[in-house]
Amino acid sequence: MVWFLLLFCLQANAQQPFSFPLPNQLTDVVYNIHQDSKGFVWLATNKGLMRYDGYEYQLYRSDKQTSVAGSNIQEDKYGRIWYQNFDGFLYYVKSNSLETFQQNTPVGFSGYGFTKNYLFLVQKEGVDIFEVSSLKFIKTIKISFDLAESSTVFKDNFYFIADNMMYVIDENFNVIKKDFFKNKKLHIKYIYPYKNESLFVVSKLNEAKEMYFFDENLKLNYTFPIPEINLIQGADIIDNHIWVHTSNGIYVYEKNGKRVYKNAFFPQNSSSQTIKDHQNNYWFSSVNEGVSVVPELNHKVYSVHDSDFMRFCKTNDGYLIGTENGEIISTDKAFQNNKILRSIGQKVPTYYVYFDSKEQQVIFSDLGFSIEDRFENIRRVAEIANLFLQNGSMV
């Protein structure tokens, strides 16, 4: 019953999942979410890096930061939490304070990644490599480019895209270069791993209306169309599906291109990321509405009426709803056909609603016990109270 009361009171768009906003958010602009190995949820926001413990937020900032807004939160195997500001500088949390990573001049927000033993970081002159354990600098792989686009790690190799060229650097620091996108005339491209099977690439402006899949050697496997999207802001893999974040919500695809859900989730949101936490809750972040949590994707929210709902009960054909304004509303199982059965024009909450399926009667309570049925019968108050007692509504 609690779930339905919350569901109705939200008054959200029809057919959207039941969600609730993260309480007491410090900002509505959230670029990235990550849940660490200890269960804390980290947010990269316009105000900096934050940690949420389920009750409070802790903001991590440093006087040495060039700017605080950023994204790309990652946890290394030693439990350090990292993020990159939009200037391209890396920061990490150590002993509960934000430390500045010593690095060469970045080339903008270009990406980094951890393999088993190394940290790879794209910079102005190429790719710098560091030991993960000590953060000691090892070498720079010289690569000439003007625009670094994105990066990821797949099968312990580091992949990145720059100037329409794709690169892979293995654990022995060998470099493979592929020119698949050289003549494609696509804008910024994002590269991601699909589980441990393949890599996929999408273009920010989705000029070709396609998603591209490659093997670990950057050989094209296949593509599939995504014509419904104009602007892509990121992607995630959850439940073996590809979640694509856009300026108009989230689209979910199977790896063969089939849409998993007919409609986009949260079309009012400029979506930035989705994660599934350790308790199987879904967290949705956006740059205009902050963070919302969805306990179950199959729980839908329906807009039935403008009033706040106090109680509801099931009937043979749908539901009865009692409102704070003393109304009783009848609706079908799909919450599509709504009818006001009773309205007193006063703000007198309907505290109890009960449907007697045997007698086909509606029993309700506001200032006292009342009854409405199709034959205009009136029961004695004691009989009505007994029905409430049998139903567990009175003790």
Side-chain angles (χ1 to χ4, degrees):
M1 181 174 288
V2 173
W3 171 73
F4 278 103
L5 292 175
L6 289 171
L7 180 150
F8 289 127
C9 290
L10 284 175
Q11 294 292 306
N13 294 330
Q15 301 299 310
Q16 286 298 303
F18 162 59
S19 66
F20 57 89
L22 209 60
N24 304 315
Q25 296 186 56
L26 303 183
T27 177
D28 289 333
V29 183
V30 180
Y31 301 107
N32 189 210
I33 324 174
H34 175 81
Q35 186 176 33
D36 67 20
S37 56
K38 298 178 181 178
F40 295 110
V41 174
W42 297 79
L43 310 175
T45 77
N46 62 328
K47 294 187 176 182
L49 181 67
M50 299 181 188
R51 189 186 74 177
Y52 180 62
D53 63 4
Y55 299 95
E56 298 177 333
Y57 301 88
Q58 181 172 348
L59 182 62
Y60 291 83
R61 297 174 70 166
S62 167
D63 294 337
K64 296 180 180 180
Q65 288 182 271
T66 59
S67 63
V68 298
S71 187
N72 204 0
I73 304 171
Q74 298 187 44
E75 180 179 8
D76 67 26
K77 67 179 183 179
Y78 297 98
R80 293 171 296 210
I81 302 298
W82 298 70
Y83 95 112
Q84 189 173 35
N85 71 8
F86 291 132
D87 297 329
F89 289 96
L90 270 182
Y91 303 92
Y92 64 97
V93 176
K94 179 181 178 181
S95 301
N96 209 35
S97 64
L98 192 67
E99 302 290 332
T100 301
F101 184 65
Q102 299 301 312
Q103 65 187 89
N104 290 313
T105 303
V107 64
F109 185 72
S110 53
Y112 69 101
F114 294 98
T115 62
K116 181 179 179 180
N117 297 312
Y118 303 109
L119 162 62
F120 291 82
L121 176 60
V122 180
Q123 52 105 334
K124 192 174 182 179
E125 303 297 330
V127 178
D128 287 341
I129 304 172
F130 304 82
E131 287 184 354
V132 176
S133 58
S134 64
L135 303 182
K136 178 182 177 182
F137 173 75
I138 297 176
K139 65 178 296 185
T140 297
I141 297 178
K142 296 287 186 177
I143 301 174
S144 179
F145 53 81
D146 294 319
L147 178 64
E149 302 176 50
S150 65
S151 65
T152 193
V153 170
F154 176 64
K155 293 188 175 180
D156 221 32
N157 297 324
F158 181 70
Y159 294 79
F160 75 102
I161 303 176
D163 288 350
N164 294 316
M165 306 298 292
M166 294 191 295
Y167 298 86
V168 55
I169 305 174
D170 65 20
E171 282 286 277
N172 296 316
F173 310 145
N174 299 310
V175 181
I176 297 174
K177 177 180 177 181
K178 296 291 184 177
D179 63 356
F180 177 83
F181 291 106
K182 182 178 180 180
N183 299 314
K184 294 291 185 182
K185 296 182 179 180
L186 303 179
H187 194 55
I188 300 294
K189 293 167 288 298
Y190 304 128
I191 185 169
Y192 302 96
Y194 179 79
K195 304 194 312 183
N196 200 38
E197 297 178 10
S198 59
L199 295 148
F200 70 96
V201 175
V202 291
S203 175
K204 181 176 181 178
L205 299 182
N206 197 26
E207 298 93 336
K209 304 296 183 182
E210 284 189 311
M211 187 178 296
Y212 305 85
F213 282 78
F214 299 87
D215 66 16
E216 61 186 297
N217 296 314
L218 298 178
K219 178 182 177 182
L220 181 69
N221 286 335
Y222 65 95
T223 68
F224 68 70
I226 46 174
E228 51 279 328
I229 299 176
N230 294 318
L231 177 66
I232 295 176
Q233 302 181 156
D236 296 296
I237 303 298
I238 302 173
D239 300 331
N240 297 325
H241 298 143
I242 302 167
W243 299 58
V244 179
H245 305 284
T246 79
S247 55
N248 301 108
I250 306 104
Y251 293 81
V252 186
Y253 302 89
E254 295 180 2
K255 68 174 183 178
N256 61 6
K258 181 180 179 181
R259 290 275 296 275
V260 178
Y261 302 99
K262 181 179 179 181
N263 300 316
F265 288 127
F266 305 108
Q268 74 278 12
N269 287 4
S270 183
S271 179
S272 55
Q273 193 172 13
T274 303
I275 66 169
K276 190 174 182 180
D277 68 19
H278 300 167
Q279 287 74 42
N280 295 320
N281 300 302
Y282 296 82
W283 297 58
F284 294 84
S285 70
S286 71
V287 297
N288 64 327
E289 296 289 343
V291 177
S292 295
V293 181
V294 174
E296 171 54 60
L297 286 175
N298 293 323
H299 290 174
K300 303 298 182 182
V301 181
Y302 300 87
S303 181
V304 177
H305 195 268
D306 292 334
S307 298
D308 287 336
F309 298 99
M310 305 300 295
R311 287 291 186 273
F312 85 99
C313 70
K314 189 174 182 180
T315 67
N316 295 336
D317 301 317
Y319 301 93
L320 292 170
I321 304 165
T323 78
E324 65 172 355
N325 294 323
E327 298 157 317
I328 297 178
I329 300 170
S330 171
T331 185
D332 61 12
K333 293 180 180 180
F335 300 98
Q336 298 296 317
N337 299 312
N338 309 317
K339 180 181 178 181
I340 297 179
L341 301 181
R342 174 182 184 262
S343 178
I344 60 175
Q346 302 179 41
K347 194 167 184 177
V348 180
T350 299
Y351 289 110
Y352 292 98
V353 177
Y354 173 68
F355 178 70
D356 183 350
S357 58
K358 181 178 180 180
E359 300 291 337
Q360 295 292 296
Q361 293 175 334
V362 180
I363 302 170
F364 63 92
S365 169
D366 40 45
L367 294 177
F369 286 109
S370 302
I371 182 169
E372 290 193 4
D373 64 41
R374 63 180 64 179
F375 303 111
E376 302 294 327
N377 294 328
I378 300 177
R379 290 179 180 270
R380 291 179 293 121
V381 170
E383 292 176 338
I384 297 171
N386 185 53
L387 283 173
F388 275 101
L389 184 63
Q390 294 175 8
N391 190 45
S393 300
M394 294 179 57
V395 294

